[in-house]
């Protein structure tokens, strides 16, 4: 054993506030991955840092909201359970006058609900009657418009044909046009106009003394043009049948007839609404 003293233990260094201990980085700084000056391997030191305030704050607020919501739901459930469990016991322990008061309150509430239900039923019935009334008016309006088209007192538009008859020498007689009208009606014509005159059930056509024709009292000169609303294909076929209108016109000296199909025929000529002399609506 020698007289040398044992080596002294290293002193513990306590860093002042704000200074990191040896071998550690300040809080919040990234780890040092830079190797020593001699080019040796880098030493990675753990970092003790602070979490970002934005993410932590959002998570804390979300946790608080979820907690409050859970507590509210739990409180509501508890209140409902207490109310349900309390009702039979409260009614059993109530005095007769309290029970009579509650029964009276229930009766008043029931009468009020009955009045409201009656009012709602009346409102529903009124709305239904109004809807039926509107439907009846719409149906009557549509029927009136259809009758106006058939009677010639309302304009008409739709698919159809145009029949043009050229008669420069006046060899086409009135009966040929009458035959054409009859064939068109049989083929389903719904509205007809002859050279500006609306054709209806009472329309008549006669030969005029000086040439041309008289249609419902008015003079009509060639070329004659019939504008017809209906199924275009059917109407055209009715004019083209062998021995029909086109063939008959072709036998007249200098006369020629031509049929043109159209997706839209407009008839604007109108007849005045007749006033019956004797007939009256039946009640």
């Amino acid at each position: 054993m020698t007289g040398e003293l044992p080596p002294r233990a290293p002193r513990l260094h306590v860093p002042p506030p704000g200074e990191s201990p040896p071998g550690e980085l300040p809080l919040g700084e990234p780890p040092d991955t830079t190797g020593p000056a001699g080019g040796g391997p880098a030493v990675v030191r753990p970092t003790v840092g602070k979490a970002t305030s934005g993410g932590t704050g959002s998570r804390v607020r979300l946790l608080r909201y979820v907690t409050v919501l859970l507590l509210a739901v739990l409180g509501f459930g508890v209140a409902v359970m207490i109310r349900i469990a309390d009702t039979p016991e409260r009614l059993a322990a109530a005095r007769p006058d309290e029970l009579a008061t509650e029964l009276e309150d229930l009766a008043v509430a029931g009468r009020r609900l009955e009045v409201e239900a009656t009012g709602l039923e009346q409102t529903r019935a009124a709305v239904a009657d109004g809807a039926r009334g509107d439907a009846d008016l719409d149906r009557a309006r549509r029927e009136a418009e259809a009758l106006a088209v058939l009677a010639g007192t309302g304009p008409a538009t739709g698919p159809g044909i145009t029949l043009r008859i050229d008669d420069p020498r006046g060899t086409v007689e009135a009966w040929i046009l009458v035959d054409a009208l009859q064939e068109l009606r049989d083929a389903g014509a719904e509205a007809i106009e002859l050279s500006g005159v609306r054709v209806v059930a009472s329309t008549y056509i006669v030969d005029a003394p000086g040439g041309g024709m008289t249609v419902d009292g008015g003079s009509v000169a060639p070329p004659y043009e019939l504008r017809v609303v209906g199924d275009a294909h059917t109407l055209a076929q009715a004019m083209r049948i062998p021995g029909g209108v086109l063939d008959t016109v072709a036998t007249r000296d200098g006369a020629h007839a031509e049929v043109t199909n159209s997706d839209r025929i407009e008839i604007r000529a109108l007849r005045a609404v007749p006033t019956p002399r004797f007939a009256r609506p039946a009640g």
Side-chain angles (χ1 to χ4, degrees), residues 62-277:
L62 179 60
L63 181 60
R64 290 176 180 175
Y65 293 154
V66 173
T67 304
V68 171
L69 180 60
L70 291 177
L71 291 176
V73 173
L74 180 61
F76 176 77
V78 172
V80 171
M81 293 178 61
I82 292 176
R83 178 64 178 173
I84 294 175
D86 177 67
T87 299
E89 299 176 357
R90 183 175 57 82
L91 293 178
R95 298 191 305 272
D97 57 339
E98 294 177 347
L99 293 176
T101 301
E102 290 204 10
L103 289 176
E104 181 62 24
D105 293 340
L106 292 175
V108 171
R111 288 193 295 270
R112 184 172 61 253
L113 291 176
E114 289 179 359
V115 172
E116 293 180 359
T118 302
L120 292 175
E121 182 65 23
Q122 293 174 352
T123 302
R124 187 195 64 81
V127 170
D129 291 340
R132 285 194 295 268
D134 293 341
D136 293 340
L137 289 176
D138 291 339
R139 182 171 60 254
R141 188 180 299 109
R142 290 193 300 268
E143 292 177 355
E145 292 174 351
L147 292 176
V149 169
L150 298 177
T153 58
T157 183
I161 65 169
T162 299
L163 173 63
R164 179 184 174 89
I165 301 177
D166 293 317
D167 184 25
R169 301 181 183 179
T171 57
V172 176
E173 294 92 354
W175 69 267
I176 297 177
L177 290 184
V178 173
D179 187 57
L181 293 179
Q182 187 60 43
E183 291 291 342
L184 291 170
R185 285 171 176 151
D186 292 343
E190 297 178 354
I192 305 175
E193 178 183 319
L194 171 57
S195 296
V197 179
R198 187 68 173 267
V199 177
V200 294
S202 60
T203 293
Y204 67 89
I205 304 174
V206 297
D207 294 319
M213 300 181 189
T214 299
V215 181
D216 290 341
S219 298
V220 175
Y224 309 110
E225 184 179 77
L226 286 93
R227 301 169 60 81
V228 188
V229 173
D231 183 85
H233 177 73
T234 304
L235 295 173
Q237 289 298 107
M239 295 294 98
R240 295 190 177 103
I241 60 174
V245 174
L246 295 186
D247 289 349
T248 302
V249 172
T251 62
R252 296 302 186 263
D253 187 18
H256 174 73
E258 182 181 2
V259 176
T260 304
N261 292 24
S262 177
D263 293 332
R264 182 179 178 85
I265 296 290
E266 291 188 3
I267 296 179
R268 298 296 180 184
L270 303 178
R271 297 293 293 264
V273 178
T275 302
R277 295 177 57 190

